[in-house]
Amino acid sequence: MLILTRRAGESIVVTTSQGDVAVTVLAIRGHQVKLGIDGARAIQVARSELLTSGPLLDLDKTRRYLDSNNGRATR
């Protein structure tokens, strides 16, 4: 396991055969970290707890959702 320290506004990039994925720390509040994930449309992203119980999250769907909510994820 690679362990990295990042501050808000800093990113890491993971290179895959399907394209690069950039993970950016957007905000840190107490024990909660808000991450932004940007990658090729072919790469699917999912929270680990969903991998055993549901389909992978589609980045296109996520982008459309965020665009429709002015870039803010809501609960």
Side-chain angles (χ1 to χ4, degrees):
M1 174 186 297
L2 174 66
I3 300 172
L4 301 171
T5 301
R6 300 279 77 198
R7 292 185 171 100
E10 295 180 336
S11 301
I12 63 165
V13 176
V14 178
T15 300
T16 73
S17 61
Q18 295 180 330
D20 292 344
V21 176
V23 180
T24 304
V25 177
L26 300 176
I28 303 169
R29 292 188 198 112
H31 294 289
Q32 188 174 37
V33 177
K34 185 182 286 188
L35 300 174
I37 302 170
D38 190 26
R41 296 184 187 279
I43 299 172
Q44 295 180 322
V45 177
R47 296 188 327 250
S48 61
E49 66 269 19
L50 297 180
L51 290 176
T52 58
S53 62
L56 292 177
L57 181 64
D58 184 344
L59 280 178
D60 288 334
K61 184 176 179 182
T62 302
R63 286 185 182 114
R64 287 191 302 272
Y65 173 79
L66 290 174
D67 288 344
S68 69
N69 289 292
N70 297 318
R72 294 176 182 255
T74 57
R75 290 185 183 211

